[in-house]
Amino acid sequence: MDMRRIVAVLAEEAEQQIEDQVWEVASSDRALALEVEAGLRKVVGLPDVQEALTEIDRLERLREALAALAICLARTHGRLAWFLSGAINALEPILRWRALPAGRGGTFGTVRPSLDEYAEAEDAVRRLQDAFARITAE
């Protein structure tokens, strides 16, 4: 399953839990969700903006998105933490990506992603942005 699909499933589950009142989004959760949404929007922009960047810059921004998720995860618990964990897990392949050629020696198991993989990851981050916006709007 690709990153976009995993994020879509996560977002659907979150929306359903909120709708069914299984997840009652507390004001502290809402504040963190707003923070992570802003952080994601700051680092991953519209497709044409992202595609104009170098591979190093695209990877850097994707890693910043992961960092924004991880920082908020460290500051919460319960359903928001579970949602954040799922989001980080969905984007996990980014952790094995590198933008630089290997040169001599090993690469510690990293791989160079294709341009399509960058686009998929960026689209997954945009979907997360939208999911966090919906969580905070409830």
Side-chain angles (χ1 to χ4, degrees):
M1 193 178 308
D2 73 19
M3 289 181 230
R4 287 177 289 226
R5 182 69 189 132
I6 295 169
V7 167
V9 169
L10 284 170
E12 288 169 18
E13 182 178 354
E15 288 175 19
Q16 190 64 53
Q17 286 187 17
I18 292 168
E19 182 180 314
D20 294 344
Q21 297 181 344
V22 172
W23 180 6
E24 295 183 25
V25 182
S27 60
S28 59
D29 286 350
R30 195 168 267 107
L32 274 175
L34 281 168
E35 185 179 321
V36 75
E37 187 231 349
L40 296 177
R41 284 198 194 284
K42 179 180 172 187
V43 295
V44 175
L46 297 172
D48 58 331
V49 172
Q50 293 302 119
E51 291 167 7
L53 299 172
T54 66
E55 288 182 45
I56 289 173
D57 289 335
R58 289 176 86 172
L59 182 54
E60 179 181 305
R61 288 174 178 230
L62 287 168
R63 288 177 178 162
E64 286 181 41
L66 275 168
L69 294 166
I71 288 167
C72 285
L73 173 61
R75 296 171 34 208
T76 192
H77 58 278
R79 295 192 187 278
L80 180 58
W82 304 340
F83 182 76
L84 287 162
S85 293
I88 291 166
N89 188 55
L91 299 176
E92 182 270 336
I94 294 166
L95 296 174
R96 294 187 311 272
W97 290 358
R98 62 183 165 81
L100 300 174
R104 295 184 335 187
T107 64
F108 303 99
T110 60
V111 297
R112 292 194 68 179
S114 68
L115 295 178
D116 287 341
E117 288 172 311
Y118 277 115
E120 175 190 335
E122 291 159 351
D123 190 43
V125 170
R126 283 185 212 94
R127 289 177 186 222
L128 281 170
Q129 294 167 359
D130 293 341
F132 281 108
R134 286 190 298 277
I135 288 169
T136 59
E138 299 297 324

